[in-house]
Amino acid sequence: KTDYSIELYKLNPSIGINMSVSKNKNIWVSFSSSFETPTLSELSSNPYGDSGLNPQLIAQKALNFEFGYRSKMKNKYFEMVAFYIPTDDEITPYEIEQFPGRTFYRNAGKTSRKGIEIIFNHNISKKINFDNSYTFSDFKFREFTSGGNNLNDNYLPGIPKNIFNSNISYKTENGLIFLTEFIYNDKIYSSNNNDVFEKPYWLSNFKISKKINNKNLFWDIYFGLNNIFNTYYSDNIRLNAFGGRFFEPAPLRNFYLGLNLKVNN
């Protein structure tokens, strides 16, 4: 029997500056460092066949650089954030032949995360609201070799490069709320090798709801229709799965009906 211990510790400084450009506009810059220890489930997945924790898995460390701009007006809101996150020893999942379906974890050398997040909301009127968000993610391995393959400049699996979400809601005089949502997901790689991927896809959803306050009772009734155009896509992607079992298909067109009831004291 071998006795060993794992010590995880780190000092993480951070600093941020926020400046008002005008009454409704401001910009900020920030720097921080992070230290993410493996979770118990990650440590307890030991690929070496021994009981106990995985002695090879260590904490991942990152530096976080961020620049942001925000503008608030009477009926509009705009926010843009650009970020850069270099990471050492990033914890990544994988599977092995001896234990298919079981997830193990290892450190992936160095990675680089660069991206932009944009939010734009517009209250067109008291009845119509328009919400949008967009994320650009350029996440790559910087220094990582696995199975004899040099994976430098490969994209991190499971993260689409572009994500766009837009929805518009309309509220009628009698309190009915109609919501239409459009979602775009870019290509998603399923493995570190970037040889298999989920194709880009659009989703369209619809929901109608009504909230009713009746004395001491609060009612929330809703009906929704998801994946209106029967798009084929994966509900879950198992990263670096053994035997090519990466994709778990999502439902095609489906609907739901719900009721929330709350008693007010």
Side-chain angles (χ1 to χ4, degrees), residues 12 30-36 60-67 81-91 108-117 135-143 154 156 159:
N12 294 303
S30 67
F31 163 79
S32 64
S33 59
S34 61
F35 177 73
E36 183 177 336
Q60 68 178 42
K61 301 167 286 295
L63 301 177
N64 306 273
F65 303 89
E66 184 178 280
F67 170 79
V81 179
F83 60 88
Y84 171 57
I85 307 173
T87 303
D88 292 343
D89 302 313
E90 178 150 345
I91 298 172
K110 299 179 183 292
T111 64
S112 173
R113 297 171 182 256
K114 295 179 286 186
I116 298 174
E117 297 176 346
T135 301
F136 169 77
S137 302
D138 185 21
F139 296 178
K140 293 183 176 181
F141 294 110
R142 290 188 295 150
E143 296 180 14
N154 278 17
L156 270 66
I159 304 170

Side-chain angles (χ1 to χ4, degrees), residues 40-48 52-54 102-105:
L40 182 60
S41 61
E42 292 170 345
L43 282 170
S44 60
S45 296
N46 191 347
Y48 303 105
L53 304 181
N54 180 356
R102 183 179 177 186
T103 303
F104 298 92
Y105 300 87

Side-chain angles (χ1 to χ4, degrees), residues 100-169:
R102 183 179 177 186
T103 303
F104 298 92
Y105 300 87
R106 62 187 163 201
N107 297 102
K110 299 179 183 292
T111 64
S112 173
R113 297 171 182 256
K114 295 179 286 186
I116 298 174
E117 297 176 346
I118 297 174
I119 297 174
F120 174 67
N121 300 331
H122 186 193
N123 296 323
I124 299 174
S125 68
K126 292 183 178 180
K127 296 181 179 180
I128 303 175
N129 191 57
F130 189 42
D131 296 331
N132 303 273
S133 65
Y134 167 73
T135 301
F136 169 77
S137 302
D138 185 21
F139 296 178
K140 293 183 176 181
F141 294 110
R142 290 188 295 150
E143 296 180 14
F144 184 37
T145 301
S146 177
N149 298 318
N150 186 342
L151 304 180
N152 293 359
D153 292 328
N154 278 17
Y155 288 98
L156 270 66
I159 304 170
K161 193 170 186 178
N162 296 281
I163 301 176
F164 175 71
N165 185 292
S166 179
N167 66 71
I168 185 167
S169 62

